[in-house]
Amino acid sequence: FLLCCFAFFFYFRPSEPFLFDVMQSKNLTEQQIIDQVFPIWTYAQLVVFIILGICAEIWPGYKAVIVFGACCYIIEQCLMLFTYTLLSMQFSEVVNAIGMASNTIFSAYSFHLLPTTFYQKSTSFLRAINLISTVASSILGQLLVNYSMINIVTLNWITFSGCCILLIISLLLPNISTPKFELENFKYNLQQVLHIYTLTLPLCFCQASLSAIHSLCLTYYQALFKDIDPEKNWNGYIISIAYFCAAICSLIPIKLEKYLTSNIVNYIMVLGTLCCAILLFGAALTSTLIVSAICFISYHSIYEILHVILIAQIALCNNSNRKFAMIFSANYTFALILQSILQLIISQFGLGAVEQFSIFAILSVVITLILLIWFVITFIKRKYTKQII
């Protein structure tokens, strides 16, 4: 029950769809937000992910890291409510990055509490709750802004209240024992992480690459819709529908669990990534907001199906040593390296939202080709080895 409550309030943020508007209300220009504020989130996560992973596994432990992440979310809302400078908005991205990184630790934490037979179910259910929370908070925010004459500052106060509840729940979570901080333990854990990576390289590569692109899409979708149709502000409705559809889709792997053999997962990775590429092209190249929104919603749903399958499969492969936090943190660090490179390109060349989404689509095609080549080579090697035997 506590896991479900935490998963819900972690993403209960009614002010999130209006983040761009909140920052513009503080006299920041669109270019400042895109080039000087949003990139900070990516760069900060690049540092904190691996640090939080190590802290969760060695010291001070999973629960302490989760509580710290909840505290950072409260600090972020205080900055949104009481500060008005570019520097404060940049710092809000730093604490948000820490809070978001703690969600990865929470996912790893849930695997420690559950048997392996529940890995896919728990991954799907907790992700669905995350997405439903986002839907509920986005609809609430949009309705309050449109029909209750409530300003965006009030939405920040509601988000602040949700963050306080999140902190209380995190304090009630049970502790997980972790080894003492010793250099030998650190070296041993690192060796185990590298070993698991070699066993699950296609899964980790696909999950990390898609996560990098998906994070950037969620960062810049508001700018894309604004470029396509500046007169309409449907962000709350669009993101609500996107997350609701994704929540339903994230439960699909539960029904498919018994069919998810290694070969089937490989096919899903290739076809799913290709579909993501096509939909991103559709979202970027259309001149109609409705068509772009439909493509974005479909892309988001397919990504979530892939996400819950890949996370559960990586956890199952890691069950022997159970270093979940370090594995997921290392994988997300790889994702953030790619994300940082893309963020740097966007900032340096001043690319617009349409160009950004076109690049994301091209990268998805490249990922598809890499996976396809990898699986073909692996198949040929196995066949050749059987012939020799």
Side-chain angles (χ1 to χ4, degrees), residues 24-41:
Q24 282 191 318
S25 70
K26 299 179 184 295
N27 297 321
L28 299 183
T29 66
E30 179 177 343
Q31 207 61 39
Q32 279 181 310
I33 297 170
I34 292 176
D35 293 342
Q36 299 180 45
V37 178
F38 284 164
I40 300 296
W41 184 85

Side-chain angles (χ1 to χ4, degrees), residues 305-323:
I305 294 174
L306 292 171
H307 177 78
V308 294
I309 290 175
L310 293 172
I311 290 295
Q313 291 295 315
I314 293 171
L316 285 169
C317 293
N318 186 38
N319 188 56
S320 59
N321 58 53
R322 303 178 71 81
K323 302 301 179 186

Side-chain angles (χ1 to χ4, degrees), residues 152-271:
I152 297 176
V153 175
T154 305
L155 292 184
N156 283 117
W157 278 110
I158 297 173
T159 303
F160 175 80
S161 301
C163 293
C164 291
I165 296 173
L166 179 71
L167 177 60
I168 294 171
I169 296 171
S170 68
L171 291 170
L172 297 175
L173 292 173
N175 283 308
I176 293 178
S177 60
T178 54
K180 295 180 180 180
F181 185 84
E182 297 174 359
L183 185 60
E184 291 75 11
N185 282 335
F186 177 77
K187 289 181 178 179
Y188 177 68
N189 291 338
L190 184 59
Q191 289 173 353
Q192 287 185 316
V193 170
L194 294 175
H195 176 66
I196 291 297
Y197 248 101
T198 58
L199 297 177
T200 60
L201 187 57
L203 293 170
C204 291
F205 169 75
C206 186
Q207 193 271 328
S209 302
L210 292 180
S211 294
I213 295 172
H214 184 253
S215 294
L216 289 173
C217 287
L218 291 182
T219 301
Y220 294 109
Y221 81 92
Q222 297 179 41
L224 176 67
F225 295 153
K226 197 166 188 177
D227 285 351
I228 292 173
D229 194 338
E231 300 299 321
K232 295 186 177 106
N233 187 355
W234 295 350
N235 293 343
Y237 296 126
I238 292 172
I239 201 66
S240 296
I241 295 170
Y243 276 87
F244 179 76
C245 292
I248 296 174
C249 290
S250 66
L251 297 175
I252 293 175
I254 295 176
K255 296 295 183 181
L256 302 176
E257 185 176 4
K258 62 182 178 180
Y259 304 108
L260 293 177
T261 62
S262 59
N263 287 334
I264 295 298
V265 171
N266 292 343
Y267 295 143
I268 290 173
M269 281 193 285
V270 173
L271 293 176

